[in-house]
Amino acid sequence: MNTNQIAHVAALMGEPARTAMLLALMDGRALTAGELAEAGRVSPATASRHLGLLVEAGLLRLARQGRHRYHCLASPEVARLLEGLMQLAGQNAAPTRAQVRTGPRDAQLRRARACYDHMAGRLGVAIADHLLVEGAIEFDGEDGRVTEHVAQVLAPLGLALAPPQLPAGRRPLCRPCLDWSERRPHVAGRLGAMLCTHGLARGWLTRGAGERALGITPEGARVLRDWLGLQRWQQVMEADAP
């Protein structure tokens, strides 16, 4: 690292539109170029140039989900750097940043829905967070793996399965799938499908014919609240702002 490189990164972060786009990503989500253009209050073409520079400098990384392209912070180190700058700039004042609303307007779809054959929405992301924190799974970029702790973590759901006992198939056992509304990963692959199928079979979740939205029954709410913990469950059930 030399002084020119430090000055280059500092100059990139010092441009107001780029700063606004970086701050919009501080909550861990991934956003599209159009959404970041809105956050930075610039045109899509200008945002595209800014984002290209930030990716090239290693401050952002590009994530692809099907036909869509999203941007997110490149690493926890970038987030820590931004946090430090926010503290220096704001001292005791809370930093302001553009609020970017993503995903569907329908509250039920935002709370819980099916993404192919696995769970998405706030519920899907909360389950992924819980499995990650408990060490049952690990995500590395676009790859994922199940650890030896999975049986212990899934046991309260009646799914005391070790990795070799998970359903076989050509699909990945576990992988992150970037959530449409939350812009954070939920669990896909055979493990994600098994969790969704199990929730429906136990009557914890409901799904109408031809519908993507998943309903959560009272019994399902009790089981999932006890498993996820109260704080994470409250985040799942929080009301959407109008």
Side-chain angles (χ1 to χ4, degrees), residues 176-199:
C177 181
L178 189 62
D179 197 88
W180 170 35
S181 56
E182 299 304 299
R183 301 299 169 82
R184 297 174 54 227
H186 55 249
V187 182
R190 302 198 307 274
L191 176 61
M194 183 186 68
L195 287 166
C196 187
T197 299
H198 185 70

Side-chain angles (χ1 to χ4, degrees), residues 65-223:
Q65 188 73 31
R67 297 179 292 106
H68 304 288
R69 291 155 56 96
Y70 302 94
H71 292 81
C72 56
L73 297 183
S75 67
E77 288 74 22
V78 175
R80 286 196 291 270
L81 175 59
L82 287 168
E83 283 184 34
L85 290 173
M86 289 160 64
Q87 290 172 2
L88 283 172
Q91 296 299 329
N92 295 326
T96 59
R97 61 188 183 206
Q99 297 298 313
V100 180
R101 184 181 178 91
T102 58
R105 293 184 178 275
D106 184 273
Q108 190 173 1
L109 282 173
R110 295 178 66 84
R111 179 174 295 125
R113 65 181 181 275
C115 177
Y116 184 44
D117 60 358
H118 53 271
M119 282 180 278
R122 290 198 298 267
L123 177 59
V125 171
I127 289 173
D129 287 346
H130 181 65
L131 293 174
L132 287 165
V133 168
E134 296 298 320
I137 62 172
E138 295 177 350
F139 288 159
D140 181 11
E142 297 183 1
D143 298 321
R145 77 179 190 92
V146 173
T147 76
E148 65 275 13
H149 303 297
V150 69
Q152 178 182 352
V153 177
L154 294 181
L157 299 180
L159 284 170
L161 298 179
Q165 297 171 293
L166 289 167
R170 299 179 64 181
R171 293 174 63 193
L173 179 57
C174 167
R175 69 173 181 84
C177 181
L178 189 62
D179 197 88
W180 170 35
S181 56
E182 299 304 299
R183 301 299 169 82
R184 297 174 54 227
H186 55 249
V187 182
R190 302 198 307 274
L191 176 61
M194 183 186 68
L195 287 166
C196 187
T197 299
H198 185 70
L200 290 167
R202 287 291 185 97
W204 302 336
L205 304 174
T206 60
R207 183 182 182 184
E211 295 182 359
R212 293 191 63 194
L214 294 173
I216 304 172
T217 66
E219 174 65 10
R222 183 189 64 79
V223 171

Side-chain angles (χ1 to χ4, degrees), residues 9-90:
V9 172
L12 285 174
M13 297 179 68
E15 201 284 329
R18 289 195 287 264
T19 301
M21 289 190 281
L22 288 167
L23 293 182
L25 297 168
M26 277 294 286
D27 57 7
R29 294 183 299 171
L31 299 175
T32 65
E35 290 162 346
L36 289 168
E38 179 184 344
R41 295 183 172 86
V42 293
S43 69
T46 299
S48 182
R49 290 194 295 271
H50 285 322
L51 293 170
L53 291 170
L54 293 171
V55 170
E56 183 180 359
L59 296 172
L60 298 183
R61 67 178 175 87
L62 193 61
R64 291 179 173 83
Q65 188 73 31
R67 297 179 292 106
H68 304 288
R69 291 155 56 96
Y70 302 94
H71 292 81
C72 56
L73 297 183
S75 67
E77 288 74 22
V78 175
R80 286 196 291 270
L81 175 59
L82 287 168
E83 283 184 34
L85 290 173
M86 289 160 64
Q87 290 172 2
L88 283 172

